[in-house]
Amino acid sequence: MGKEIIIGVIPVIIAFLVFIGVNVAPLIIAAMIISFLAFFVMRQGGMSIGQKKTTVETPKTKVKFNQIGGQERAKKELREALDFLIHKDTLKEYGIRPLKGLLLTGPPGTGKTLMAKAAANYTNSAFVAASGSQFVEMYVGVGAQRIRDLFKEAKQKAEKNNQESAIIFIDEIDVLGGKREGSQHREYDQTLNQLLTEMDGITTSEHPRILMIAATNRADMLDDALLRPGRFDRQIVVDLPDMKARKQILEIHVKNKPLADDVDIEAIARDTFNFSGAQLESVTNEAAIYAFRDKSKVITQSHFSHAIDKVMMGEQTDRESTAEERERVANHELGHAIVSEVVRPLSVSQVSLRPRGQALGYVRQSPQQDRYLYTLENLEQQIMIALGGAVAEEMLYGGRSTGSRNDFEQALHLVNTIIDSGLSRLGIVKMDMVGKEALHEERQRILNDLLDSTRKVLTEHFPVFQHALNHLLREEVLNGEQFRIMLEEARALPKQSKVEEIEARRMKA
Ligand code: ATP
């Protein structure tokens, strides 16, 4: 309303000044310059006028701890810390200083933001959230002003909602709280200083009480000043979910979805090793989208299977390949799958010829158990599985193709892990202390030995290629069970001289 009145009055005043003979040109130019500057500053979000909000508008949070799957230890630690906020009288009795900052550390998408929201709900606190990158601005002082605004906003919100405490959540705290080097001055030093000052100002008697929760994927990058006692002195690790936690997360996200009877959540949890909570949520959502596209009333296990592939490898591509290329890719993937099933029975979950992302085909493995510790044997098996594709091509076509590049990268990475972990013939070594020659020799020895073992496995199981190839080319996808049946059938075929058979195939090719 005020704005409209001003817009109406200004032209009248200008007309009057012109009428009485005043030269209005300098006035108009000055007004234009001031408006331009004001607009510019507002766009940068510097001043409180224009109120570019630093925080994401968050209505009272409704997230509860039981809506967060897994993370039992993190939830317990967080709840314990929050109890200090709830029972503040006991704090006073014991003379305990208030908890000011909690740091949640862990990979992206593991539920750190969810935890902070649940914390606000649990303690009936007002909740304001911001991200570290929103504080990094070109203009000195802008970030610091935003920190002040953030604390002000949290207090106002708590007062407005009649709440006794407020939680300020800063995601990506490493962006504004990274290690400071030497005397180098950066704009965000001021922002960080302001944050430290505000945190130092938090007291037990303050009303409303403020608790800071920050999240980062890189706790090692944070400035020591932030981690000092009295600031973010409690660190809670929010890690990737294990098998049981993945099942719980999936169960939370399928609650509102129509599932077919064949859906096996445990199998999906098994197939999604190393997925974060966010990726698992995405799997359930993508599965529902596939069901919707198929006009199916319920989401089936096959929709979930496609969804896992999509989240892991990317969207299916329409890359057209020639018949020879497709056959080569099929044999390459069968090579991986045969080795995988032979060295780790029941490990193949799917063999696919559908191009996704950068891959023309792929084998999805399904570990029977999550594994966090690897023996030499485990690593060697994984290298053999990676080499299986290239060896299959070599045996069937007399040479490899560029399709094995990623496999070799993976194999070399694992070879380095063997050497680095003191599992090679070099003994316990530090990679950069071993001569290049010796390192190269050991790498080649490990790889050549494993190439030989892979050749042996594939020669033993050579009939599987012939037996499964046409089926795979026709169906495009074989699930683990189908593949295992083919493997068994091929094993039962009359044994002939495999070497001769390989030679004959090669000649034909
Ligand atoms: P980032 O580090 O990238 O900011 P984050 O750790 O804060 O990620 P969230 O934003 O909390 O992750 O999670 C994103 C989404 O993933 C959530 O909205 C939720 O749908 C899902 N999610 C993640 N972890 C869990 C979990 N443990 N239980 C249930 N859902 C989860």
Side-chain angles (χ1 to χ4, degrees), residues 67-69 71 107-114 171 217 249 253 277-278 281:
Q67 287 167 296
I68 304 175
Q71 308 295 1
T110 42
K112 296 184 288 297
T113 311
L114 274 188
D171 203 0
N217 312 325
I249 297 173
H253 291 290
E281 189 275 337

Side-chain angles (χ1 to χ4, degrees), residues 92-111:
K92 251 192 209 154
E93 266 174 43
Y94 284 87
I96 299 173
R97 70 172 153 71
L99 181 69
K100 296 180 184 178
L102 280 165
L103 185 66
L104 305 178
T105 64
T110 42

Side-chain angles (χ1 to χ4, degrees), residues 227-245:
L227 304 175
R228 220 196 60 189
R231 289 174 184 159
F232 288 102
D233 52 3
R234 252 177 209 243
Q235 281 195 32
I236 296 176
V237 180
V238 187
D239 230 335
L240 285 175
D242 60 12
M243 160 90 185
K244 195 169 144 215

Side-chain angles (χ1 to χ4, degrees), residues 103 172-184 186 188-193 195-196 199 214 216 218-229 231-233 235:
L103 185 66
E172 299 177 25
I173 185 90
D174 44 296
V175 178
L176 79 93
K179 279 195 187 350
R180 292 179 279 196
E181 287 149 21
S183 57
Q184 204 183 9
R186 301 168 309 193
Y188 35 105
D189 287 351
Q190 279 200 15
T191 314
L192 176 56
N193 284 339
L195 176 65
L196 299 178
M199 285 185 81
T216 179
R218 320 219 31 200
D220 55 314
M221 295 284 289
L222 293 183
D223 197 285
D224 293 339
L226 263 179
L227 304 175
R228 220 196 60 189
R231 289 174 184 159
F232 288 102
D233 52 3
Q235 281 195 32

Side-chain angles (χ1 to χ4, degrees), residues 207-458:
H207 186 87
R209 273 283 322 278
I210 302 264
L211 174 70
M212 295 281 311
I213 299 186
T216 179
N217 312 325
R218 320 219 31 200
D220 55 314
M221 295 284 289
L222 293 183
D223 197 285
D224 293 339
L226 263 179
L227 304 175
R228 220 196 60 189
R231 289 174 184 159
F232 288 102
D233 52 3
R234 252 177 209 243
Q235 281 195 32
I236 296 176
V237 180
V238 187
D239 230 335
L240 285 175
D242 60 12
M243 160 90 185
K244 195 169 144 215
R246 291 199 296 276
K247 191 166 166 241
Q248 286 175 7
I249 297 173
L250 287 164
E251 273 160 359
I252 289 171
H253 291 290
V254 295
K255 248 185 204 147
N256 62 348
K257 298 179 172 63
L259 298 188
D261 291 339
D262 72 338
V263 172
D264 181 352
I265 297 287
E266 195 155 331
I268 303 170
R270 207 177 315 120
D271 280 1
T272 45
F273 177 60
N274 257 346
F275 275 41
S276 67
Q279 283 174 312
L280 292 170
E281 189 275 337
S282 179
V283 165
T284 61
N285 194 48
E286 291 298 336
I289 293 174
Y290 280 126
F292 171 75
R293 277 191 206 153
D294 278 359
K295 299 195 170 57
S296 162
K297 282 214 158 38
V298 285
I299 310 170
T300 62
Q301 187 72 7
S302 142
H303 294 133
F304 276 102
S305 181
H306 287 139
I308 295 173
D309 289 341
K310 165 141 194 227
V311 175
M312 202 187 290
M313 324 260 311
E315 187 59 281
Q316 203 165 311
T317 56
D318 295 327
R319 221 173 284 163
E320 280 287 327
S321 45
T322 61
E324 295 99 90
E325 228 171 40
R326 247 169 80 78
E327 196 198 281
R328 190 185 262 268
V329 174
N331 279 318
H332 179 108
E333 299 310 330
L334 285 172
H336 286 306
I338 296 168
V339 182
S340 179
E341 202 55 41
V342 171
V343 298
R344 290 188 192 151
L346 298 177
S347 63
V348 172
S349 166
Q350 192 175 89
V351 189
S352 172
L353 271 195
R354 290 192 182 137
R356 269 186 193 279
Q358 291 302 307
L360 292 171
Y362 53 90
V363 172
R364 173 147 50 83
Q365 288 176 271
S366 146
Q368 292 305 295
Q369 276 170 336
D370 290 2
R371 198 182 274 282
Y372 302 99
L373 202 65
Y374 297 88
T375 61
L376 176 62
E377 197 192 358
N378 302 144
L379 292 167
E380 285 177 344
Q381 288 172 347
Q382 196 56 42
I383 295 173
M384 282 173 68
I385 298 169
L387 297 175
V391 172
E393 284 189 58
E394 234 175 59
M395 288 167 69
L396 288 156
Y397 303 98
R400 304 167 188 161
S401 67
T402 52
S404 307
R405 215 171 44 203
N406 285 347
D407 299 336
F408 291 153
E409 231 169 74
Q410 195 200 350
L412 277 167
H413 174 74
L414 291 164
V415 170
N416 282 343
T417 309
I418 291 181
I419 299 176
D420 221 9
S421 315
L423 300 174
S424 75
R425 285 196 189 161
L426 292 174
I428 303 171
V429 287
K430 222 169 171 312
M431 294 284 255
D432 44 9
M433 286 166 72
V434 187
K436 268 191 186 159
E437 283 283 306
L439 210 55
H440 177 71
E441 247 172 53
E442 184 59 5
R443 278 196 194 114
Q444 288 309 307
R445 186 196 63 77
I446 297 174
L447 276 177
N448 287 334
D449 283 359
L450 292 172
L451 272 169
D452 283 345
S453 312
T454 311
R455 271 186 208 116
K456 220 165 131 207
V457 170
L458 289 184

Side-chain angles (χ1 to χ4, degrees), residues 145-194:
Q145 177 60 40
R146 286 192 182 166
I147 292 280
R148 281 192 286 273
D149 289 349
L150 193 62
F151 275 75
K152 210 159 79 193
E153 190 187 336
K155 281 181 189 160
Q156 282 171 353
K157 206 163 171 185
E159 274 158 15
K160 200 170 123 209
N161 297 343
N162 238 343
Q163 290 163 311
E164 294 199 354
S165 49
I167 288 183
I168 299 177
F169 175 64
I170 302 187
D171 203 0
E172 299 177 25
I173 185 90
D174 44 296
V175 178
L176 79 93
K179 279 195 187 350
R180 292 179 279 196
E181 287 149 21
S183 57
Q184 204 183 9
H185 180 85
R186 301 168 309 193
E187 146 57 4
Y188 35 105
D189 287 351
Q190 279 200 15
T191 314
L192 176 56
N193 284 339
Q194 186 60 42

Side-chain angles (χ1 to χ4, degrees), residues 34 37-54 137 139-146 148-149 152:
I34 289 168
L37 283 177
F39 172 74
F40 194 64
V41 170
M42 268 158 59
R43 271 196 54 152
Q44 292 301 326
M47 298 179 181
S48 307
I49 44 160
Q51 280 296 319
K52 181 192 171 193
K53 285 217 162 176
T54 315
E137 292 281 348
Y139 296 98
V140 175
V142 171
Q145 177 60 40
R146 286 192 182 166
R148 281 192 286 273
D149 289 349
K152 210 159 79 193

